[in-house]
Amino acid sequence: MKKITLFFTLLLLSSAALQARTVDVSAAYIGASHFDQARVSAVAAWSLNVLAGVEAKYVKENAFKDPVYSVNLPIELDFGYLKLDLKPFYYFKNKSQNESFQDSSAYGVSTRLIMTLEDDTVNDLYTHAYLGASFARQKGTLSYADGTWSNEDYSQFAYTLGLTKNFFRRFGFEAAGTVFQYPNGIEGVKSFRGIMDQQELAPTQTYDVVHDLGKYALGARMTWMWPDSRSSLYLGYRYGEFYTADPENSFMAGNTFAITRDIHADLAYNHVRTVHNDNKRDILYVRLVGSF
């Protein structure tokens, strides 16, 4: 049923996208020792001020018996010096291997308001600041430090403040910080068995699938750009603290480049480790984007 729903969602939106002004279609693979993930998306420019589309994701993780399927609907509204990004998302129900645990599912929405602080079209310089606010509600099983557990619908909020800027048409810089809030309470929580990737709430400079409940995350990215050849190199870093895991460092290096006039590739390597180095992960990211 999940596969049929995803197929028809993509089919309907892809058919509608044929009527749009431009369409970006992408496919990505992310792989590590503990998971494999595939993403496909289509985003269309319906007018000069509106972008909208669909993204479907498949994740096979060691921690779950069945694959995790999810879909989100990215929307961008352009008001000139203000842009509003909206992304409703939904995770289809995943049966628990342990009958005592609740079946997992999730839904929510992430929003980001982007403000243009500098827009020098002559020298091709820009500075953007953005504010993000996201909400999610997960159905899963909450485990406490005293050994007890309960099946719950667990809510989360995330708030992000970020800045992006370029220099001399050659360098780009981005920095962002995110804090997490738990209306249901977080005191004494040891873990939460849920299927949602926490990066639905805020991207944090890692390609890992994150289930642990975060306190905050700080990240930055530096990009070296070659506009004439439509290529770039980037380095990213993130430090994050969690309520249900040790603090982590994430290091990322990637390369974007044009394959043809309409097709671009993004290749990246991501190394994630806890501060005590007792949990290390190496992650490979490959993405192709076609514009039509």
Side-chain angles (χ1 to χ4, degrees):
M1 186 64 183
K2 300 172 187 176
K3 296 178 181 179
I4 294 174
T5 302
L6 285 173
F7 172 77
F8 278 106
T9 300
L10 288 171
L11 181 63
L12 288 172
L13 289 175
S14 297
S15 299
L18 294 176
Q19 308 302 318
R21 300 165 65 96
T22 60
V23 181
D24 289 338
V25 179
S26 71
Y29 169 78
I30 307 174
S33 60
H34 58 298
F35 77 92
D36 289 284
Q37 181 180 103
R39 303 177 183 176
V40 292
S41 71
V43 178
W46 301 99
S47 70
L48 292 175
N49 307 103
V50 179
L51 292 173
V54 61
E55 180 182 51
K57 291 188 287 187
Y58 159 96
V59 185
K60 179 59 179 175
E61 298 183 67
N62 296 343
F64 296 96
K65 178 181 178 181
D66 298 320
V68 175
Y69 296 94
S70 64
V71 62
N72 61 55
L73 303 174
I75 302 168
E76 180 186 293
L77 305 177
D78 189 343
F79 304 105
Y81 285 95
L82 286 177
K83 291 183 181 179
L84 179 62
D85 288 345
L86 302 170
K87 189 185 71 173
F89 58 86
Y90 180 77
Y91 280 70
F92 295 90
K93 184 172 73 172
N94 193 282
K95 296 288 289 183
S96 175
Q97 297 183 57
N98 188 330
E99 294 183 357
S100 300
F101 292 167
Q102 184 171 233
D103 296 341
S104 298
S105 62
Y107 64 89
V109 60
S110 67
T111 66
R112 189 172 63 161
L113 181 64
I114 305 169
M115 297 160 284
T116 299
L117 304 181
E118 177 188 20
D119 186 15
D120 184 346
T121 56
V122 175
N123 298 303
D124 197 17
L125 298 174
Y126 64 81
T127 303
H128 298 154
Y130 58 88
L131 297 170
S134 304
F135 166 78
R137 190 165 180 84
Q138 295 197 71
K139 187 183 292 292
T141 301
L142 200 65
S143 174
Y144 292 94
D146 61 6
T148 61
W149 53 268
S150 65
N151 293 326
E152 294 192 18
D153 291 348
Y154 198 64
S155 298
Q156 295 178 247
F157 288 96
Y159 305 98
T160 302
L161 176 63
L163 179 76
T164 61
K165 183 175 179 59
N166 73 340
F167 304 89
F168 314 114
R169 298 185 71 247
R170 188 66 68 181
F171 303 101
F173 176 76
E174 178 180 2
T178 300
V179 295
F180 298 87
Q181 180 188 12
Y182 302 90
N184 296 63
I186 194 66
E187 184 176 355
V189 173
K190 182 180 179 181
S191 64
F192 182 77
R193 187 193 181 278
I195 60 175
M196 186 188 78
D197 185 350
Q198 294 289 312
Q199 295 192 92
E200 298 285 7
L201 301 177
T204 55
Q205 299 298 340
T206 180
Y207 292 120
D208 201 5
V209 175
V210 180
H211 294 299
D212 290 304
L213 304 180
K215 292 182 181 179
Y216 67 87
L218 300 172
R221 179 183 291 207
M222 178 65 77
T223 304
W224 290 262
M225 300 174 287
W226 291 269
D228 294 339
S229 60
R230 296 182 297 157
S231 63
S232 69
L233 295 173
Y234 59 87
L235 296 175
Y237 171 74
R238 180 212 64 180
Y239 175 80
E241 288 199 4
F242 302 87
Y243 289 102
T244 58
D246 290 334
E248 284 184 350
N249 295 292
S250 172
F251 306 91
M252 183 190 303
N255 176 210
T256 65
F257 56 93
I259 298 177
T260 67
R261 187 186 68 176
D262 299 320
I263 299 176
H264 288 73
D266 186 355
L267 308 177
Y269 164 75
N270 183 202
H271 178 74
V272 183
R273 62 170 62 196
T274 60
V275 293
H276 303 299
N277 297 328
D278 55 356
N279 186 2
K280 303 178 184 179
R281 285 99 74 197
D282 295 298
I283 303 161
L284 176 66
Y285 173 81
V286 180
R287 183 173 182 247
L288 293 177
V289 182
S291 298
F292 306 96

